[in-house]
Every structure is written in C-alpha cells, then in structure tokens.
Amino acid sequence: MHIVVVDAQNIAGDVDFPMLELDKFGWEQFCGLDSDEVSQRCWRADIIISATTPIDKKVIDEAFKLKLIVSASDSFEGIDIEAASA
C-alpha cells in the first residue's frame, strides 16, 4: 500500500500515520506540489490525501492502483468526482 500526501502544508498540525503491519507499505509527504508534479508523484499511489491541491482526471487515470482519495478539507471541490467514480 502506498499513501501520498500531496499538500501537507495545508493540513493543520503534523501529518502522521501509525505504523501499519503490511509487507509493502510506503508513505510519502510533500509540502506542496504543482499540478504537473501531482501525477508524477501519485502514479503508484493506493491512497491520495489532499487538502487543496486539485486531483483531476489525469491524476486519477494515471494512478493505476488508486483505491481512495481523501479530502483533508471541508469540501470536495478539488476532486474530480466523476473521474473518481468511474
């Protein structure tokens, strides 16, 4: 399982995940990524966590293992819900 936090600078407090008892666990945290970098960093993500960075159709289509997108804000405006539903 691979978790990517794309904009930790926009999340209040420290972003920290408990240790998971999985053989293949990876976790990456970026302060912020521009739109071109999001696809490059998330292509192998199982879970993408974003507060304000848009997660668009391109990111979703290229993340071939994607299972979950987490909005770490009070809205889902930046997530392409139609692409995520497909």
Side-chain angles (χ1 to χ4, degrees), residues 34-75:
D34 65 34
S35 59
D36 294 333
E37 290 178 307
V38 176
S39 291
Q40 295 170 3
R41 300 295 187 176
C42 293
W43 68 272
R44 63 185 183 112
D46 294 286
I47 300 171
I48 298 172
I49 301 172
S50 173
T52 60
T53 300
I55 305 300
D56 59 17
K57 182 176 180 4
K58 179 183 179 203
V59 173
I60 293 167
D61 288 347
E62 290 180 4
F64 69 97
K65 299 186 328 177
L66 188 62
K67 294 172 184 62
L68 178 67
I69 301 169
V70 176
S71 175
S73 70
D74 59 357
S75 77

Side-chain angles (χ1 to χ4, degrees), residues 6 8-9 11 14 17 21 26-27 30 38 45-46 48 68 74 85:
V6 296
Q9 70 190 20
I11 300 174
D14 291 330
F17 291 96
E21 297 296 326
W27 174 67
F30 300 97
V38 176
D46 294 286
I48 298 172
L68 178 67
D74 59 357
S85 296

Side-chain angles (χ1 to χ4, degrees), residues 5-32:
V5 181
V6 296
D7 56 1
Q9 70 190 20
N10 297 321
I11 300 174
D14 291 330
V15 179
D16 191 19
F17 291 96
M19 292 301 297
L20 298 177
E21 297 296 326
L22 299 174
D23 292 336
K24 295 182 180 181
F25 171 72
W27 174 67
E28 292 181 280
Q29 175 179 317
F30 300 97
C31 287

